[in-house]
Amino acid sequence: MARAIAGDQAAYGELVARYTALAHRTAYLLGAGANAGDVVQEARRQMPFEIHLPVQLGTPDQANVHEGRFVTLRYGDVRLDQFDGTVHEQPHGVGQTLIWQRGQVTLRLEGDLTEERALEISAS
C-alpha cells in the first residue's frame, strides 16, 4: 500500500489485481448488479490511457466515456473524471473538488466529501 501511495504504478497494479475480484463481489452485494465490472472494462477498451480505480471507492456504479477524451466514473453521488494529460500542479481542491495526477493522467474527484476523505481516496 505504501508503494502505491508513493506513486509506484507496479504496486498500484498489484493492489488492483489483488482486490478487484473482492471489489466486484462487494459491489454486487451492495446492489451494483452482476455487470459491475463490465462498466469499467468497457470504458478501458475505449480509452487510450489506464483508468484508475481508487481502492477506497471500489467498483463504480457507472462509467461513461466522453468522445474518447475523458471518462467519468460514478460512485453514487461521487464523481471521478479522468483524462490523459497533465496540469503541472500539486493536488489541490476547489470547493468540494480535488484535482491530482497519477502519471500522465489527471483525475478530478467531486462529491460531498471532507478534504481528509478526498485525500484518502486520491492516495488509494
Side-chain angles (χ1 to χ4, degrees):
M1 183 64 94
R3 287 180 27 229
I5 290 170
D8 183 337
Q9 292 295 312
Y12 179 77
E14 291 170 21
L15 285 173
V16 170
R18 182 177 298 154
Y19 295 107
T20 296
L22 174 62
H24 288 177
R25 284 193 303 274
T26 303
Y28 177 76
L29 291 172
L30 293 174
N35 64 346
D38 295 344
V39 295
V40 174
Q41 293 308 317
E42 181 57 32
R44 282 185 166 147
R45 282 191 282 278
Q46 296 179 47
M47 298 310 295
F49 60 88
E50 177 65 27
I51 296 174
H52 300 285
L53 300 175
V55 174
Q56 293 270 333
L57 291 176
T59 303
D61 303 318
Q62 288 182 302
N64 299 93
V65 174
H66 305 278
E67 300 176 6
R69 296 180 2 197
F70 72 97
V71 65
T72 297
L73 304 177
R74 295 246 181 221
Y75 302 85
D77 292 336
V78 174
R79 173 183 174 150
L80 178 62
D81 295 321
Q82 300 180 39
F83 67 90
D84 190 10
T86 58
V87 292
H88 303 291
E89 296 181 20
Q90 294 297 318
H92 66 279
V94 178
Q96 291 187 302
T97 301
L98 179 69
I99 299 171
W100 76 100
Q101 283 195 231
R102 181 164 278 164
Q104 293 297 311
V105 177
T106 297
L107 298 95
R108 179 182 176 276
L109 180 67
E110 179 181 323
D112 188 18
L113 304 164
T114 64
E115 180 179 357
E116 181 179 312
R117 179 71 177 129
L119 290 170
E120 287 173 0
I121 291 169
S122 71
S124 72

